[in-house]
Coordinates of all heavy atoms in Angstrom, one line a residue:
M1 N -7.6 3.2 -26.4 CA -6.8 2.1 -26.7 C -7.5 0.8 -26.4 O -8.1 0.6 -25.4 CB -5.5 2.1 -25.9 CG -4.5 1.1 -26.4 SD -3.0 1.2 -25.3 CE -3.3 0.1 -24.0
T2 N -7.6 -0.2 -27.4 CA -8.2 -1.4 -27.2 C -7.2 -2.5 -26.8 O -6.2 -2.8 -27.6 CB -9.0 -1.9 -28.5 OG1 -8.7 -1.1 -29.5 CG2 -10.5 -2.0 -28.2
A3 N -7.3 -3.1 -25.6 CA -6.4 -4.0 -25.2 C -6.7 -5.4 -25.9 O -7.9 -5.8 -25.9 CB -6.5 -4.2 -23.7
K4 N -5.7 -6.0 -26.4 CA -5.9 -7.3 -27.1 C -5.9 -8.4 -26.0 O -5.1 -8.4 -25.2 CB -4.8 -7.5 -28.1 CG -5.3 -8.2 -29.4 CD -4.2 -8.4 -30.3 CE -4.6 -9.0 -31.7 NZ -3.5 -9.1 -32.5
K5 N -7.0 -9.3 -26.1 CA -7.0 -10.3 -25.1 C -5.9 -11.4 -25.3 O -5.7 -11.8 -26.4 CB -8.4 -11.0 -25.2 CG -8.9 -11.4 -23.8 CD -10.3 -11.8 -23.9 CE -10.4 -13.3 -23.5 NZ -11.7 -13.9 -23.6
E6 N -5.2 -11.7 -24.2 CA -4.1 -12.6 -24.3 C -4.6 -14.0 -24.6 O -5.7 -14.4 -24.0 CB -3.4 -12.7 -22.9 CG -2.7 -11.5 -22.5 CD -1.2 -11.7 -22.5 OE1 -0.7 -12.8 -22.4 OE2 -0.6 -10.6 -22.6
P7 N -3.9 -14.9 -25.3 CA -4.4 -16.3 -25.5 C -4.3 -17.0 -24.2 O -3.3 -16.8 -23.5 CB -3.5 -16.8 -26.6 CG -2.4 -15.8 -26.8 CD -2.8 -14.5 -26.1
T8 N -5.3 -17.8 -23.9 CA -5.2 -18.6 -22.6 C -4.9 -20.0 -23.0 O -5.2 -20.5 -24.1 CB -6.6 -18.6 -21.9 OG1 -7.6 -19.0 -22.8 CG2 -6.9 -17.2 -21.4
Y9 N -4.4 -20.8 -22.0 CA -4.1 -22.2 -22.1 C -5.2 -23.1 -21.7 O -6.0 -22.7 -20.7 CB -2.9 -22.5 -21.3 CG -1.6 -22.0 -21.8 CD1 -1.0 -20.8 -21.2 CD2 -0.9 -22.5 -22.9 CE1 0.2 -20.3 -21.7 CE2 0.3 -22.0 -23.4 CZ 0.8 -20.9 -22.8 OH 2.0 -20.4 -23.3
D10 N -5.4 -24.2 -22.3 CA -6.4 -25.2 -21.9 C -5.7 -26.1 -20.8 O -4.6 -26.0 -20.6 CB -7.0 -26.0 -23.0 CG -6.1 -27.0 -23.7 OD1 -5.1 -27.4 -23.1 OD2 -6.3 -27.3 -24.9
E11 N -6.5 -26.9 -20.2 CA -6.1 -27.7 -19.0 C -4.9 -28.6 -19.3 O -3.9 -28.7 -18.5 CB -7.2 -28.6 -18.4 CG -8.0 -27.8 -17.4 CD -8.8 -28.7 -16.5 OE1 -8.2 -29.5 -15.8 OE2 -10.0 -28.4 -16.4
A12 N -4.9 -29.2 -20.5 CA -3.8 -30.1 -20.9 C -2.5 -29.3 -21.1 O -1.4 -29.7 -20.7 CB -4.1 -30.8 -22.1
Q13 N -2.6 -28.1 -21.7 CA -1.5 -27.3 -21.9 C -0.9 -26.8 -20.6 O 0.3 -26.6 -20.4 CB -1.9 -26.1 -22.8 CG -2.2 -26.5 -24.2 CD -2.8 -25.4 -25.0 OE1 -3.6 -24.6 -24.5 NE2 -2.5 -25.3 -26.3
I14 N -1.9 -26.4 -19.7 CA -1.4 -25.9 -18.3 C -0.6 -27.0 -17.6 O 0.4 -26.8 -17.1 CB -2.7 -25.5 -17.5 CG1 -3.3 -24.2 -18.1 CG2 -2.3 -25.2 -16.0 CD1 -4.7 -23.9 -17.6
A15 N -1.2 -28.2 -17.6 CA -0.5 -29.4 -17.0 C 0.9 -29.6 -17.5 O 1.9 -29.8 -16.8 CB -1.3 -30.6 -17.1
E16 N 1.0 -29.4 -18.8 CA 2.3 -29.6 -19.5 C 3.3 -28.5 -19.0 O 4.4 -28.8 -18.7 CB 2.0 -29.5 -21.0 CG 3.3 -29.5 -21.9 CD 3.9 -30.8 -22.0 OE1 3.2 -31.9 -21.9 OE2 5.2 -30.9 -22.1
R17 N 2.8 -27.3 -19.0 CA 3.7 -26.1 -18.6 C 4.1 -26.2 -17.1 O 5.1 -25.7 -16.8 CB 3.1 -24.8 -19.0 CG 2.9 -24.7 -20.5 CD 3.1 -23.4 -21.1 NE 4.4 -22.8 -20.7 CZ 4.8 -21.6 -21.0 NH1 4.0 -20.8 -21.6 NH2 5.9 -21.2 -20.7
L18 N 3.2 -26.8 -16.3 CA 3.4 -26.8 -14.9 C 4.6 -27.8 -14.6 O 5.2 -27.7 -13.5 CB 2.2 -27.2 -14.1 CG 1.1 -26.2 -13.9 CD1 -0.1 -26.8 -13.2 CD2 1.6 -25.0 -13.2
R19 N 4.9 -28.6 -15.5 CA 6.0 -29.5 -15.2 C 7.3 -28.8 -15.1 O 8.3 -29.4 -14.5 CB 6.2 -30.5 -16.4 CG 5.1 -31.6 -16.4 CD 5.4 -32.7 -17.3 NE 4.2 -33.3 -17.9 CZ 4.0 -33.9 -19.1 NH1 5.1 -34.0 -19.8 NH2 2.9 -34.3 -19.4
D20 N 7.5 -27.6 -15.6 CA 8.7 -26.8 -15.5 C 8.7 -26.1 -14.1 O 9.7 -25.4 -13.8 CB 8.8 -25.8 -16.6 CG 8.9 -26.5 -18.0 OD1 9.3 -27.6 -18.0 OD2 8.5 -25.8 -18.9
L21 N 7.7 -26.2 -13.4 CA 7.6 -25.5 -12.1 C 7.5 -26.4 -10.9 O 6.8 -27.4 -11.0 CB 6.4 -24.5 -12.0 CG 6.5 -23.3 -12.9 CD1 5.1 -22.8 -13.3 CD2 7.3 -22.2 -12.3
E22 N 8.2 -26.2 -9.8 CA 8.2 -27.1 -8.7 C 7.0 -26.8 -7.7 O 7.0 -25.7 -7.2 CB 9.5 -27.0 -7.9 CG 10.6 -27.8 -8.5 CD 12.0 -27.4 -7.9 OE1 12.0 -27.2 -6.7 OE2 12.9 -27.2 -8.6
G23 N 6.1 -27.7 -7.5 CA 5.1 -27.6 -6.5 C 3.9 -26.8 -6.8 O 3.1 -26.5 -6.0
W24 N 3.8 -26.4 -8.1 CA 2.7 -25.6 -8.5 C 1.6 -26.5 -9.0 O 1.9 -27.6 -9.5 CB 3.1 -24.6 -9.6 CG 3.9 -23.5 -9.2 CD1 5.3 -23.6 -8.9 CD2 3.6 -22.1 -9.0 NE1 5.7 -22.3 -8.5 CE2 4.7 -21.4 -8.6 CE3 2.4 -21.4 -9.1 CZ2 4.7 -20.0 -8.3 CZ3 2.3 -20.1 -8.8 CH2 3.5 -19.4 -8.4
S25 N 0.3 -26.1 -8.8 CA -0.8 -26.9 -9.3 C -1.9 -26.0 -9.9 O -1.8 -24.8 -9.6 CB -1.4 -27.8 -8.2 OG -1.8 -27.0 -7.2
Y26 N -2.8 -26.6 -10.6 CA -3.9 -25.9 -11.2 C -5.2 -26.3 -10.6 O -5.5 -27.5 -10.5 CB -3.9 -26.1 -12.7 CG -5.1 -25.4 -13.4 CD1 -5.2 -24.1 -13.5 CD2 -6.0 -26.2 -14.0 CE1 -6.2 -23.5 -14.2 CE2 -7.1 -25.7 -14.7 CZ -7.2 -24.3 -14.8 OH -8.3 -23.7 -15.4
A27 N -5.9 -25.4 -10.0 CA -7.2 -25.7 -9.4 C -8.0 -24.4 -9.3 O -7.5 -23.3 -9.1 CB -7.0 -26.3 -8.1
G28 N -9.3 -24.5 -9.6 CA -10.2 -23.3 -9.5 C -9.8 -22.1 -10.3 O -10.0 -21.0 -9.9
G29 N -9.3 -22.5 -11.5 CA -8.9 -21.4 -12.5 C -7.7 -20.6 -12.2 O -7.5 -19.6 -12.8
V30 N -6.9 -21.1 -11.2 CA -5.6 -20.4 -10.9 C -4.5 -21.4 -10.9 O -4.7 -22.6 -10.6 CB -5.7 -19.6 -9.6 CG1 -6.7 -18.6 -9.7 CG2 -5.9 -20.5 -8.4
I31 N -3.3 -21.0 -11.2 CA -2.1 -21.8 -10.8 C -1.6 -21.3 -9.4 O -1.6 -20.1 -9.2 CB -1.0 -21.8 -11.9 CG1 -0.5 -20.4 -12.2 CG2 -1.5 -22.5 -13.1 CD1 0.8 -20.4 -13.0
Q32 N -1.2 -22.2 -8.6 CA -1.0 -21.8 -7.2 C 0.1 -22.7 -6.6 O 0.4 -23.8 -7.0 CB -2.2 -22.0 -6.3 CG -2.8 -23.4 -6.4 CD -4.2 -23.4 -5.8 OE1 -4.8 -22.4 -5.5 NE2 -4.7 -24.7 -5.6
R33 N 0.8 -22.0 -5.5 CA 1.8 -22.8 -4.8 C 1.9 -22.1 -3.4 O 1.7 -20.9 -3.3 CB 3.2 -22.7 -5.4 CG 4.1 -23.6 -4.7 CD 5.6 -23.5 -5.2 NE 6.4 -23.8 -4.1 CZ 7.7 -24.1 -4.1 NH1 8.3 -23.9 -5.3 NH2 8.4 -24.3 -3.1
V34 N 2.1 -23.0 -2.4 CA 2.4 -22.4 -1.0 C 3.9 -22.4 -0.8 O 4.6 -23.5 -1.0 CB 1.7 -23.3 0.0 CG1 2.0 -22.8 1.4 CG2 0.1 -23.3 -0.2
F35 N 4.5 -21.3 -0.4 CA 5.9 -21.2 -0.1 C 6.0 -21.1 1.5 O 5.3 -20.3 2.1 CB 6.5 -19.9 -0.7 CG 6.6 -20.0 -2.2 CD1 5.6 -19.4 -3.0 CD2 7.7 -20.6 -2.8 CE1 5.7 -19.5 -4.3 CE2 7.8 -20.7 -4.1 CZ 6.7 -20.1 -5.0
K36 N 6.7 -22.0 2.0 CA 6.8 -22.1 3.5 C 8.1 -21.2 3.9 O 9.0 -21.1 3.1 CB 7.1 -23.5 4.0 CG 6.0 -24.5 3.6 CD 5.3 -25.0 4.8 CE 4.3 -26.1 4.4 NZ 3.0 -25.9 5.0
T37 N 8.0 -20.6 5.0 CA 9.1 -19.8 5.5 C 9.3 -20.2 7.0 O 8.6 -21.0 7.6 CB 8.9 -18.3 5.5 OG1 8.0 -18.0 6.5 CG2 8.3 -17.9 4.1
D38 N 10.4 -19.6 7.6 CA 10.7 -19.9 9.0 C 10.0 -18.9 9.9 O 10.4 -18.9 11.1 CB 12.2 -20.0 9.2 CG 12.9 -18.7 8.9 OD1 12.2 -17.7 8.5 OD2 14.1 -18.7 9.0
G39 N 9.1 -18.1 9.4 CA 8.5 -17.2 10.3 C 8.0 -16.0 9.6 O 8.3 -15.7 8.5
F40 N 7.3 -15.1 10.4 CA 6.6 -13.9 9.8 C 7.6 -13.0 9.1 O 7.2 -12.4 8.1 CB 5.8 -13.3 10.9 CG 4.6 -12.5 10.3 CD1 3.7 -13.2 9.4 CD2 4.4 -11.2 10.7 CE1 2.6 -12.5 8.9 CE2 3.3 -10.6 10.1 CZ 2.4 -11.2 9.3
P41 N 8.7 -12.6 9.8 CA 9.6 -11.6 9.1 C 10.0 -12.0 7.7 O 9.9 -11.3 6.8 CB 10.9 -11.6 10.0 CG 10.3 -12.0 11.4 CD 9.3 -13.0 11.1
R42 N 10.4 -13.3 7.6 CA 10.8 -13.8 6.2 C 9.5 -13.9 5.3 O 9.7 -13.7 4.1 CB 11.5 -15.1 6.3 CG 12.5 -15.3 5.2 CD 13.3 -16.6 5.3 NE 14.2 -16.6 6.4 CZ 15.5 -16.3 6.2 NH1 16.0 -15.9 5.1 NH2 16.3 -16.4 7.3
T43 N 8.4 -14.3 5.8 CA 7.2 -14.3 5.0 C 6.9 -12.9 4.4 O 6.7 -12.8 3.2 CB 6.0 -14.7 5.9 OG1 6.2 -16.0 6.4 CG2 4.7 -14.7 5.0
L44 N 7.0 -11.9 5.3 CA 6.7 -10.5 4.8 C 7.8 -10.0 3.8 O 7.4 -9.3 2.8 CB 6.8 -9.6 6.0 CG 5.5 -9.7 6.9 CD1 5.6 -8.7 8.1 CD2 4.2 -9.5 6.2
M45 N 9.1 -10.4 4.0 CA 10.1 -10.1 3.0 C 9.7 -10.7 1.6 O 9.9 -10.1 0.6 CB 11.5 -10.6 3.5 CG 12.0 -10.0 4.7 SD 12.5 -8.2 4.4 CE 14.0 -8.5 3.5
L46 N 9.3 -12.0 1.7 CA 8.9 -12.7 0.5 C 7.8 -12.1 -0.2 O 7.8 -11.8 -1.4 CB 8.7 -14.2 0.7 CG 8.3 -15.0 -0.4 CD1 9.4 -15.0 -1.5 CD2 8.1 -16.5 0.0
V47 N 6.8 -11.7 0.5 CA 5.5 -11.0 0.0 C 5.9 -9.7 -0.7 O 5.4 -9.4 -1.8 CB 4.5 -10.8 1.2 CG1 3.4 -9.8 0.7 CG2 3.9 -12.1 1.6
N48 N 6.8 -9.0 0.0 CA 7.2 -7.7 -0.6 C 8.0 -7.9 -1.9 O 7.9 -7.1 -2.8 CB 8.0 -6.9 0.4 CG 7.0 -6.1 1.3 OD1 6.4 -5.1 0.9 ND2 6.8 -6.6 2.5
A49 N 8.9 -8.9 -1.9 CA 9.7 -9.2 -3.1 C 8.8 -9.6 -4.3 O 9.0 -9.1 -5.3 CB 10.7 -10.2 -2.8
I50 N 7.8 -10.5 -3.9 CA 6.9 -10.9 -5.0 C 6.1 -9.6 -5.4 O 5.9 -9.5 -6.7 CB 5.9 -11.9 -4.4 CG1 6.6 -13.3 -4.2 CG2 4.7 -12.2 -5.4 CD1 5.8 -14.3 -3.4
G51 N 5.7 -8.9 -4.5 CA 4.9 -7.6 -4.9 C 5.7 -6.7 -5.8 O 5.2 -6.1 -6.7
Y52 N 7.1 -6.6 -5.5 CA 8.0 -5.8 -6.3 C 8.0 -6.3 -7.8 O 7.9 -5.5 -8.7 CB 9.3 -5.8 -5.7 CG 10.3 -4.8 -6.3 CD1 10.4 -3.4 -5.9 CD2 11.1 -5.2 -7.4 CE1 11.3 -2.5 -6.5 CE2 12.1 -4.3 -8.0 CZ 12.1 -3.0 -7.5 OH 13.0 -2.1 -8.1
F53 N 8.2 -7.5 -8.0 CA 8.2 -8.2 -9.3 C 6.9 -8.0 -10.0 O 6.7 -7.8 -11.2 CB 8.6 -9.6 -9.3 CG 10.1 -9.8 -9.2 CD1 10.7 -10.5 -8.2 CD2 11.0 -9.2 -10.1 CE1 12.1 -10.7 -8.1 CE2 12.4 -9.4 -10.0 CZ 12.9 -10.2 -9.1
A54 N 5.8 -8.2 -9.2 CA 4.4 -8.2 -9.7 C 4.1 -6.8 -10.3 O 3.6 -6.6 -11.4 CB 3.4 -8.5 -8.7
E55 N 4.6 -5.8 -9.5 CA 4.4 -4.4 -9.9 C 5.2 -4.1 -11.2 O 4.6 -3.4 -12.2 CB 4.8 -3.5 -8.8 CG 4.2 -2.1 -8.8 CD 2.7 -2.0 -9.1 OE1 2.0 -2.9 -8.6 OE2 2.3 -1.0 -9.7
A56 N 6.4 -4.6 -11.2 CA 7.2 -4.4 -12.5 C 6.6 -5.0 -13.7 O 6.7 -4.5 -14.8 CB 8.6 -5.0 -12.2
A57 N 5.9 -6.2 -13.5 CA 5.3 -6.9 -14.6 C 3.9 -6.4 -14.9 O 3.3 -6.9 -15.8 CB 5.3 -8.4 -14.3
D58 N 3.4 -5.5 -14.0 CA 2.0 -5.1 -14.1 C 1.1 -6.3 -14.1 O 0.1 -6.5 -14.9 CB 1.8 -4.2 -15.2 CG 0.3 -3.6 -15.1 OD1 -0.1 -3.4 -14.0 OD2 -0.3 -3.2 -16.2
H59 N 1.4 -7.3 -13.2 CA 0.6 -8.6 -13.2 C 0.7 -9.0 -11.7 O 1.8 -9.2 -11.2 CB 1.3 -9.6 -14.0 CG 0.4 -10.7 -14.4 ND1 -0.9 -10.6 -15.0 CD2 0.5 -12.1 -14.1 CE1 -1.5 -11.7 -15.1 NE2 -0.7 -12.6 -14.5
H60 N -0.5 -9.2 -11.1 CA -0.6 -9.2 -9.6 C -1.2 -10.5 -9.1 O -2.4 -10.8 -9.5 CB -1.3 -8.1 -9.1 CG -0.8 -6.7 -9.6 ND1 -1.1 -6.1 -10.7 CD2 0.2 -5.9 -9.0 CE1 -0.4 -5.0 -10.9 NE2 0.4 -4.9 -9.9
P61 N -0.5 -11.3 -8.3 CA -1.0 -12.6 -7.8 C -1.9 -12.2 -6.6 O -1.8 -11.2 -5.9 CB 0.2 -13.3 -7.4 CG 1.2 -12.3 -7.0 CD 0.9 -11.1 -7.9
D62 N -2.8 -13.2 -6.3 CA -3.5 -13.2 -5.0 C -2.5 -13.8 -4.0 O -1.9 -14.8 -4.3 CB -4.8 -14.0 -5.0 CG -5.9 -13.4 -5.9 OD1 -5.8 -12.2 -6.2 OD2 -6.7 -14.1 -6.4
M63 N -2.4 -13.3 -2.8 CA -1.5 -13.9 -1.8 C -2.2 -14.0 -0.5 O -2.8 -13.1 0.0 CB -0.2 -13.0 -1.7 CG 0.6 -13.0 -2.9 SD 2.3 -12.2 -2.6 CE 1.9 -10.5 -3.0
L64 N -2.1 -15.2 0.1 CA -2.7 -15.5 1.4 C -1.5 -15.6 2.4 O -0.7 -16.5 2.3 CB -3.5 -16.8 1.4 CG -4.1 -17.1 2.7 CD1 -5.1 -16.1 3.3 CD2 -4.8 -18.5 2.6
V65 N -1.4 -14.6 3.3 CA -0.2 -14.5 4.1 C -0.5 -15.1 5.5 O -1.5 -14.8 6.1 CB 0.2 -13.0 4.3 CG1 1.4 -12.9 5.2 CG2 0.4 -12.4 2.9
K66 N 0.3 -16.1 5.9 CA 0.2 -16.7 7.2 C 1.6 -16.5 7.9 O 2.6 -16.1 7.3 CB -0.2 -18.1 7.1 CG -1.5 -18.4 6.5 CD -2.0 -19.8 6.6 CE -3.3 -20.0 6.0 NZ -3.8 -21.4 6.1
W67 N 1.7 -16.9 9.2 CA 2.9 -16.7 9.9 C 4.1 -17.3 9.2 O 5.1 -16.7 9.0 CB 2.8 -17.4 11.3 CG 4.0 -17.2 12.1 CD1 4.4 -16.2 12.9 CD2 5.1 -18.2 12.2 NE1 5.6 -16.4 13.5 CE2 6.0 -17.7 13.1 CE3 5.3 -19.5 11.7 CZ2 7.2 -18.4 13.4 CZ3 6.4 -20.2 12.0 CH2 7.4 -19.6 12.9
G68 N 3.9 -18.6 8.8 CA 5.1 -19.3 8.2 C 4.9 -19.7 6.7 O 5.5 -20.7 6.3
S69 N 4.0 -19.0 6.1 CA 3.8 -19.4 4.6 C 3.1 -18.3 3.8 O 2.4 -17.4 4.5 CB 3.0 -20.7 4.5 OG 1.7 -20.4 4.9
V70 N 3.3 -18.3 2.6 CA 2.5 -17.4 1.7 C 2.0 -18.3 0.6 O 2.7 -19.0 -0.1 CB 3.3 -16.1 1.2 CG1 4.5 -16.5 0.6 CG2 2.4 -15.4 0.3
A71 N 0.7 -18.3 0.3 CA 0.1 -19.0 -0.8 C -0.1 -18.0 -1.9 O -0.7 -17.0 -1.7 CB -1.3 -19.6 -0.3
V72 N 0.4 -18.4 -3.1 CA 0.4 -17.5 -4.2 C -0.5 -18.1 -5.3 O -0.4 -19.3 -5.6 CB 1.8 -17.3 -4.8 CG1 1.8 -16.4 -6.0 CG2 2.7 -16.8 -3.7
A73 N -1.5 -17.3 -5.8 CA -2.3 -17.8 -6.9 C -2.3 -16.8 -8.0 O -2.4 -15.6 -7.8 CB -3.7 -18.0 -6.3
L74 N -2.2 -17.4 -9.2 CA -2.1 -16.5 -10.4 C -3.1 -16.9 -11.5 O -3.3 -18.1 -11.8 CB -0.6 -16.7 -11.0 CG 0.5 -15.9 -10.4 CD1 1.8 -16.6 -10.8 CD2 0.4 -14.5 -10.8
S75 N -3.7 -15.9 -12.1 CA -4.5 -16.0 -13.3 C -4.5 -14.6 -13.9 O -4.1 -13.7 -13.3 CB -5.9 -16.5 -13.0 OG -6.6 -15.5 -12.4
T76 N -4.9 -14.6 -15.2 CA -5.0 -13.3 -15.9 C -6.4 -12.9 -16.0 O -7.2 -13.5 -16.8 CB -4.3 -13.4 -17.3 OG1 -3.0 -13.9 -17.1 CG2 -4.3 -12.1 -18.0
H77 N -6.8 -12.0 -15.1 CA -8.2 -11.6 -15.0 C -8.7 -11.1 -16.3 O -9.9 -11.5 -16.8 CB -8.4 -10.6 -13.9 CG -7.7 -10.8 -12.7 ND1 -7.0 -9.9 -11.9 CD2 -7.5 -12.0 -12.0 CE1 -6.5 -10.5 -10.9 NE2 -6.8 -11.7 -10.9
S78 N -7.9 -10.3 -17.0 CA -8.4 -9.6 -18.2 C -8.7 -10.7 -19.4 O -9.5 -10.4 -20.2 CB -7.4 -8.6 -18.7 OG -6.1 -9.2 -18.9
A79 N -8.0 -11.8 -19.3 CA -8.1 -12.8 -20.3 C -9.1 -13.9 -19.9 O -9.5 -14.8 -20.7 CB -6.8 -13.4 -20.7
G80 N -9.4 -14.0 -18.6 CA -10.3 -15.0 -18.1 C -9.7 -16.3 -18.1 O -10.4 -17.4 -18.3
G81 N -8.4 -16.4 -17.8 CA -7.7 -17.8 -17.8 C -6.3 -17.6 -17.5 O -5.8 -16.6 -16.9
I82 N -5.5 -18.7 -17.8 CA -4.1 -18.7 -17.6 C -3.3 -18.4 -18.9 O -3.6 -19.0 -19.9 CB -3.7 -20.2 -17.0 CG1 -4.5 -20.6 -15.9 CG2 -2.1 -20.2 -16.7 CD1 -4.3 -19.7 -14.6
T83 N -2.4 -17.5 -18.7 CA -1.7 -17.0 -19.9 C -0.2 -17.1 -19.6 O 0.2 -17.4 -18.5 CB -2.1 -15.5 -20.3 OG1 -1.5 -14.7 -19.2 CG2 -3.5 -15.3 -20.4
D84 N 0.6 -16.7 -20.6 CA 2.0 -16.6 -20.5 C 2.5 -15.7 -19.4 O 3.5 -16.0 -18.7 CB 2.7 -16.1 -21.8 CG 2.8 -17.2 -22.8 OD1 3.0 -18.4 -22.5 OD2 2.8 -16.9 -24.0
K85 N 1.7 -14.7 -19.1 CA 2.0 -13.8 -18.0 C 2.1 -14.5 -16.7 O 2.9 -14.2 -15.8 CB 0.9 -12.7 -17.9 CG 1.1 -11.6 -18.9 CD 0.1 -10.5 -18.7 CE 0.1 -9.4 -19.7 NZ -0.9 -8.4 -19.5
D86 N 1.2 -15.5 -16.5 CA 1.1 -16.2 -15.3 C 2.3 -17.1 -15.1 O 2.9 -17.2 -14.0 CB -0.2 -17.0 -15.1 CG -1.4 -16.1 -15.2 OD1 -1.5 -15.2 -14.4 OD2 -2.2 -16.3 -16.1
F87 N 2.7 -17.8 -16.2 CA 3.9 -18.7 -16.1 C 5.1 -17.9 -15.9 O 6.0 -18.3 -15.2 CB 3.9 -19.6 -17.3 CG 2.8 -20.6 -17.3 CD1 1.7 -20.6 -18.2 CD2 2.8 -21.7 -16.4 CE1 0.8 -21.5 -18.2 CE2 1.8 -22.6 -16.4 CZ 0.8 -22.6 -17.3
A88 N 5.2 -16.8 -16.6 CA 6.4 -15.9 -16.5 C 6.6 -15.5 -15.1 O 7.7 -15.6 -14.5 CB 6.3 -14.8 -17.4
L89 N 5.6 -15.0 -14.4 CA 5.6 -14.5 -13.1 C 5.9 -15.7 -12.1 O 6.6 -15.6 -11.1 CB 4.4 -13.7 -12.7 CG 4.5 -13.0 -11.3 CD1 5.7 -12.0 -11.2 CD2 3.2 -12.1 -11.1
A90 N 5.2 -16.8 -12.3 CA 5.5 -18.0 -11.5 C 6.9 -18.4 -11.5 O 7.5 -18.7 -10.4 CB 4.6 -19.2 -11.9
H91 N 7.6 -18.3 -12.6 CA 9.0 -18.7 -12.7 C 9.8 -17.6 -11.9 O 10.8 -18.0 -11.2 CB 9.5 -18.7 -14.2 CG 9.2 -20.1 -14.8 ND1 10.0 -21.2 -14.7 CD2 8.1 -20.5 -15.6 CE1 9.5 -22.2 -15.3 NE2 8.4 -21.8 -15.9
R92 N 9.5 -16.4 -12.1 CA 10.3 -15.4 -11.3 C 10.1 -15.6 -9.8 O 11.1 -15.4 -9.1 CB 9.8 -14.0 -11.7 CG 10.1 -13.6 -13.2 CD 10.2 -12.1 -13.4 NE 11.5 -11.7 -12.9 CZ 12.0 -10.4 -13.2 NH1 11.2 -9.5 -13.8 NH2 13.2 -10.1 -12.8
I93 N 8.9 -15.9 -9.4 CA 8.6 -16.0 -7.9 C 9.4 -17.2 -7.4 O 10.0 -17.2 -6.4 CB 7.1 -16.2 -7.7 CG1 6.4 -14.8 -8.0 CG2 6.8 -16.6 -6.3 CD1 4.9 -14.9 -8.0
Q94 N 9.3 -18.3 -8.2 CA 10.1 -19.5 -7.8 C 11.6 -19.3 -7.7 O 12.2 -19.7 -6.8 CB 9.8 -20.6 -8.9 CG 10.5 -21.9 -8.6 CD 10.0 -23.1 -9.3 OE1 8.8 -23.5 -9.1 NE2 10.8 -23.5 -10.3
D95 N 12.1 -18.6 -8.7 CA 13.6 -18.3 -8.6 C 13.9 -17.4 -7.3 O 14.9 -17.6 -6.7 CB 14.0 -17.5 -9.8 CG 14.0 -18.4 -11.1 OD1 13.9 -19.6 -10.9 OD2 14.0 -17.8 -12.2
L96 N 13.0 -16.5 -7.0 CA 13.1 -15.6 -5.9 C 13.1 -16.4 -4.6 O 13.9 -16.2 -3.7 CB 12.0 -14.6 -6.0 CG 11.9 -13.5 -5.0 CD1 12.9 -12.5 -5.4 CD2 10.5 -12.8 -5.2
A97 N 12.1 -17.3 -4.5 CA 11.9 -18.0 -3.2 C 13.0 -19.0 -2.9 O 13.2 -19.5 -1.9 CB 10.6 -18.7 -3.3
R98 N 13.7 -19.4 -4.0 CA 14.8 -20.4 -3.9 C 16.1 -19.8 -3.3 O 17.0 -20.5 -2.8 CB 15.1 -21.0 -5.3 CG 15.7 -22.4 -5.3 CD 16.0 -22.8 -6.7 NE 14.9 -23.6 -7.3 CZ 14.4 -23.4 -8.5 NH1 14.9 -22.5 -9.3 NH2 13.4 -24.2 -8.9
T99 N 16.3 -18.5 -3.4 CA 17.5 -17.8 -3.1 C 17.6 -17.6 -1.6 O 16.5 -17.6 -0.9 CB 17.7 -16.5 -3.8 OG1 16.6 -15.7 -3.5 CG2 17.9 -16.7 -5.2
Ligands
LIG101 N1 -3.1 -8.9 -12.6 C1 -3.6 -10.1 -13.0 N2 -3.3 -11.2 -12.3 N3 -4.5 -10.1 -14.0 C2 -4.9 -9.0 -14.8 O1 -5.6 -9.1 -15.7 C3 -4.2 -7.8 -14.4 C4 -3.3 -7.8 -13.3 N4 -4.4 -6.7 -15.0 N5 -2.7 -6.6 -12.9 C5 -3.7 -5.5 -14.8 C6 -3.1 -5.3 -13.4 C7 -4.6 -4.3 -15.2 O2 -5.6 -4.2 -14.4 C8 -3.8 -2.9 -15.3 C9 -4.6 -1.8 -15.6 O3 -2.7 -3.1 -16.2

């Protein structure tokens, strides 16, 4: 099976699409956001919830876990850039973190 490479967005398009997301930015080839929590238990719950959605989407963010925050970074490795998959997962993660 030959996987078709997803179309990637250029910087202007990424900036435009980031306007629909709160607190996300583009740097170093990834879209990223830090989610603050009130401590490690809730951080771990959030990491697991993100992991659950990521697994369902077969699309996996890098996550840097600290006591009171998790930094989430998304890119599509197979396409070598930012694709719809990244924006779709960013929206799901944002909705999740808001609840
Ligand atoms: N996650 C991300 N962020 N980018 C990918 O290209 C990617 C992934 N590819 N998760 C998936 C898994 C691929 O390796 C599997 C085989 O579908």
Side-chain angles (χ1 to χ4, degrees):
M1 194 178 88
T2 6
K4 218 180 184 179
K5 217 173 115 183
E6 294 251 337
T8 55
Y9 288 102
D10 67 26
E11 274 200 53
Q13 292 168 323
I14 292 168
E16 176 70 32
R17 298 216 56 185
L18 283 179
R19 282 192 215 154
D20 297 335
L21 287 158
E22 278 167 42
W24 291 75
S25 58
Y26 175 67
V30 298
I31 57 168
Q32 60 193 5
R33 186 183 154 173
V34 177
F35 293 93
K36 303 246 186 228
T37 76
D38 62 1
F40 208 52
R42 208 178 291 266
T43 299
L44 290 178
M45 293 292 283
L46 182 56
V47 167
N48 277 284
I50 292 170
Y52 188 86
F53 279 125
E55 199 50 31
D58 191 27
H59 197 61
H60 305 91
D62 293 338
M63 292 191 272
L64 178 63
V65 179
K66 297 189 182 180
W67 179 85
S69 69
V70 54
V72 180
L74 279 162
S75 71
T76 304
H77 314 139
S78 55
I82 305 299
T83 69
D84 278 332
K85 285 185 179 175
D86 300 304
F87 289 111
L89 189 55
H91 276 280
R92 294 207 79 173
I93 292 169
Q94 178 166 289
D95 291 345
L96 187 69
R98 204 182 269 139
T99 55

